[in-house]
Amino acid sequence: MALENLISVSFTEEELTQLDQHLAGIRTLLTGKTINLTPDQRRQYGRIANQNKLIVDKAKNYMEQHPDWVPRFVDKEEFDKDYTARQQIENRVQLLENLSTQLIDTKTLLDHDNYNNALSFYRMIRFLAGENEPGAKSVHEDMRVLFNRTGTTSTTDSEE
């Protein structure tokens, strides 16, 4: 009985070249405009929660209505620049996160299909080695070491 194939996807060389070119273009465009925080910096600065976004939006709105109320030590021009860039980036982050999730989910199904087919192949090799099929024993011995038998429970433990 054939295993269920959860997904079937392929890319042409042209499509992969285009994808790589677009990704390289994105990387080039972002060079000098983005940074990488360390894990400690990420913890230090955190992420602005939805409630805090509302505070920022409301403050911006009131700053526009009452420019004389903005403290002198707040650089309103820089605030506006940061606010605009943040909105521009957020829209793109959402799109990229969605695309990333789609790619990860697709890869997950491909991994699942490949792994299950590899297990079927291993079972057949194990059978053929038991039947003394020429060459099967060495393939079986080579693959056999990949199955963890140290007492952890997984689907592969019962394969031997």
Side-chain angles (χ1 to χ4, degrees), residues 64-123:
E64 300 295 327
Q65 292 177 33
H66 306 283
D68 52 320
W69 293 355
V70 178
R72 282 193 223 71
F73 56 85
V74 171
D75 184 341
K76 176 68 166 64
E77 188 176 317
E78 184 61 28
F79 175 87
D80 289 342
K81 183 179 168 187
D82 290 349
Y83 185 89
T84 299
R86 189 210 163 280
Q87 285 183 313
Q88 294 166 335
I89 288 171
E90 182 174 39
N91 293 336
R92 276 82 187 168
V93 164
Q94 289 172 350
L95 174 62
L96 289 170
E97 284 178 342
N98 182 277
L99 292 172
S100 180
T101 298
Q102 288 177 43
L103 286 171
I104 290 167
D105 290 349
T106 300
K107 181 186 167 297
T108 297
L109 293 181
L110 292 167
D111 286 343
H112 179 83
D113 284 350
N114 284 337
Y115 182 71
N116 281 308
N117 284 310
L119 288 178
S120 293
F121 174 79
Y122 176 73
R123 287 183 195 113

Side-chain angles (χ1 to χ4, degrees), residues 124-139:
M124 183 61 154
I125 291 299
R126 185 179 61 199
F127 170 78
L128 292 174
E131 295 295 313
N132 293 319
E133 177 71 24
K137 186 169 184 153
S138 64
V139 172

Side-chain angles (χ1 to χ4, degrees), residues 55 108 160:
I55 292 169
T108 297
E160 274 288 282

Side-chain angles (χ1 to χ4, degrees), residues 43-77:
R43 280 189 292 278
Q44 176 184 352
Y45 299 116
R47 294 182 106 169
I48 188 168
N50 283 335
Q51 181 64 32
N52 292 341
K53 287 179 195 175
L54 295 174
I55 292 169
V56 171
D57 291 342
K58 187 70 74 174
K60 175 156 177 49
N61 185 32
Y62 282 126
M63 285 183 200
E64 300 295 327
Q65 292 177 33
H66 306 283
D68 52 320
W69 293 355
V70 178
R72 282 193 223 71
F73 56 85
V74 171
D75 184 341
K76 176 68 166 64
E77 188 176 317

